[in-house]
Amino acid sequence: MEQFFGSEISLMDIFVMLVWGALFLVLIVKFFQSIRLVPTQKAYVVERLGRYSKTLDAGFHALVPFIDRVASIQDLKEETIDVPPQECFSKDEVNVEVDGVIYISVMDPVKASYGVTDYRYAAMQLAQTTTRSVIGTLDLDRTFEERDLISTKVVEVLEKAGEGWGIKVHRYEIKNITPPRTVRDAMEMQVNAERERRAIMARSEGDKQSRINRSLGLKTEMINRSEGEKQRRINAAEGKAQEIISIARATASSIETMADVLSLPGGENAMKMQLSEQYMKQMQGLADPSRKIILPANLLDYDAWMNTVGLTPSKNKPS
């Protein structure tokens, strides 16, 4: 019996020691859990007995064990949230698939913890519904052109909701707007037709400009030729006029010289002698048998020729 009771006491002691050891271990764990080292750009929301107590910023902090606990940890850095693809109907009843990405950051950790269950999921859902409503007011062609409009509307709605969620929406970007295959084929045909039209217009404009350039070149060439011909004729006329003037001046000068010579003593006799020599030279040329010449009847009448030029022949005729 004593051995039995002794063994029973020993087991009780062991149990008590185990209980105290467990309590001590829990105390040690809670003690270490009460010491918090908060990293930069992190915020720890602390509750005391189930109620919000304070927010721990970056640095060293000590909590009261069993009373304080960290309810949530919020990341203050800017983060991206992918908005999964969703089907939207445009104003002209075309079904398109749209996806995007949201850039947000937590500005108030308390509101982000207690204002909404999951601000990421809430922002994603609100972005999808807003995108559907905005695309529903646009035609299909405008949805590709008004990406900025869609993004601006989504950001405006998220900003209003974000005030109560403690978040700030920096921007919303649409990644893809994917229409149905048939619509894509039709749009591709339209784009190809537009490109072909532009190519035809470019070729026609080029051919038109080429023809204009050629005609302008031909016109300029003809003008230059006509101006050159005009200048040539002017130069020729001026040269001819100068030639006539020079000949006239030379003739006038020779006549004046002859008049001066004739007025001198013995000048008339010298002139008669020179004319006689010229006359005889011309007469000698008529003796050539290869020549056939028709002469007037008075060709050999020397006195008549002298009277014609206004000179009276002398008594002694040349032999």
Side-chain angles (χ1 to χ4, degrees), residues 30-277:
K30 287 295 183 180
F31 175 77
F32 281 106
Q33 287 181 348
S34 64
I35 298 174
R36 292 287 182 169
L37 297 175
V38 181
T40 304
Q41 290 295 317
K42 293 282 186 179
Y44 288 14
V45 178
V46 178
E47 293 181 352
R48 176 167 292 178
L49 299 178
R51 298 183 62 183
Y52 168 74
S53 175
K54 57 184 176 180
T55 301
L56 304 180
D57 297 329
F60 174 81
H61 300 275
L63 305 179
V64 179
F66 299 101
I67 296 177
D68 295 338
R69 76 179 186 90
V70 177
S72 62
I73 300 174
Q74 299 294 343
D75 192 344
L76 303 182
K77 296 190 294 293
E78 184 176 343
E79 59 181 314
T80 60
I81 301 175
D82 287 327
V83 179
Q86 61 170 335
E87 292 184 351
C88 305
F89 284 92
S90 61
K91 185 178 180 180
D92 47 359
E93 299 298 330
V94 178
N95 187 13
V96 295
E97 193 176 75
V98 183
D99 61 342
V101 60
I102 309 173
Y103 297 86
I104 65 174
S105 60
V106 176
M107 305 301 295
D108 189 340
V110 178
K111 290 183 179 180
S113 301
Y114 299 104
V116 64
T117 303
D118 187 349
Y119 67 86
R120 296 180 181 85
Y121 179 76
M124 181 182 65
Q125 292 296 317
L126 185 57
Q128 286 183 325
T129 55
T130 306
T131 301
R132 285 197 298 268
S133 62
V134 174
I135 289 180
T137 62
L138 301 174
D139 294 330
L140 178 62
D141 293 337
R142 291 191 60 197
T143 56
F144 299 99
E145 302 172 359
E146 301 292 344
R147 289 173 179 258
D148 293 338
L149 174 63
I150 300 173
S151 300
T152 302
K153 292 292 184 180
V154 172
V155 170
E156 289 178 358
V157 174
L158 289 176
E159 280 286 346
K160 293 180 181 179
E163 294 177 358
W165 298 345
I167 62 173
K168 178 177 178 59
V169 180
H170 299 283
R171 56 193 177 279
Y172 172 73
E173 299 292 342
I174 296 177
K175 293 194 293 186
N176 297 300
I177 299 178
T178 308
R181 181 64 186 177
T182 55
V183 177
R184 290 202 302 270
D185 293 341
M187 293 175 64
E188 184 176 356
M189 293 175 62
Q190 182 180 0
V191 171
N192 292 334
E194 181 65 20
R195 289 176 179 172
E196 184 66 22
R197 185 186 69 83
R198 291 179 181 177
I200 294 174
M201 290 294 296
R203 287 195 296 268
S204 64
E205 288 293 332
D207 184 65
K208 173 184 175 182
Q209 192 62 39
S210 176
R211 292 174 181 271
I212 291 174
N213 293 338
R214 286 197 298 269
S215 63
L216 290 177
L218 182 59
K219 175 184 176 182
T220 304
E221 181 182 1
M222 294 177 66
I223 291 174
N224 291 337
R225 287 183 177 179
S226 63
E227 289 291 335
E229 182 66 19
K230 174 183 175 182
Q231 191 62 40
R232 187 190 66 79
R233 292 185 178 183
I234 291 173
N235 294 337
E238 290 179 352
K240 188 68 174 177
Q242 291 295 330
E243 180 183 1
I244 293 173
I245 292 172
S246 299
I247 293 173
R249 287 176 179 176
T251 303
S253 179
S254 63
I255 292 173
E256 290 177 355
T257 303
M258 291 175 63
D260 293 339
V261 170
L262 290 173
S263 64
L264 295 175
E268 183 176 353
N269 294 329
M271 178 62 66
K272 290 179 180 180
M273 182 177 295
Q274 185 177 5
L275 290 175
S276 299
E277 291 177 356

Side-chain angles (χ1 to χ4, degrees), residues 9-26:
I9 292 172
S10 178
L11 291 174
M12 183 62 70
D13 292 339
I14 293 172
F15 175 75
V16 172
M17 290 178 63
L18 290 175
V19 171
W20 281 105
L23 291 175
F24 181 75
L25 182 61
V26 171

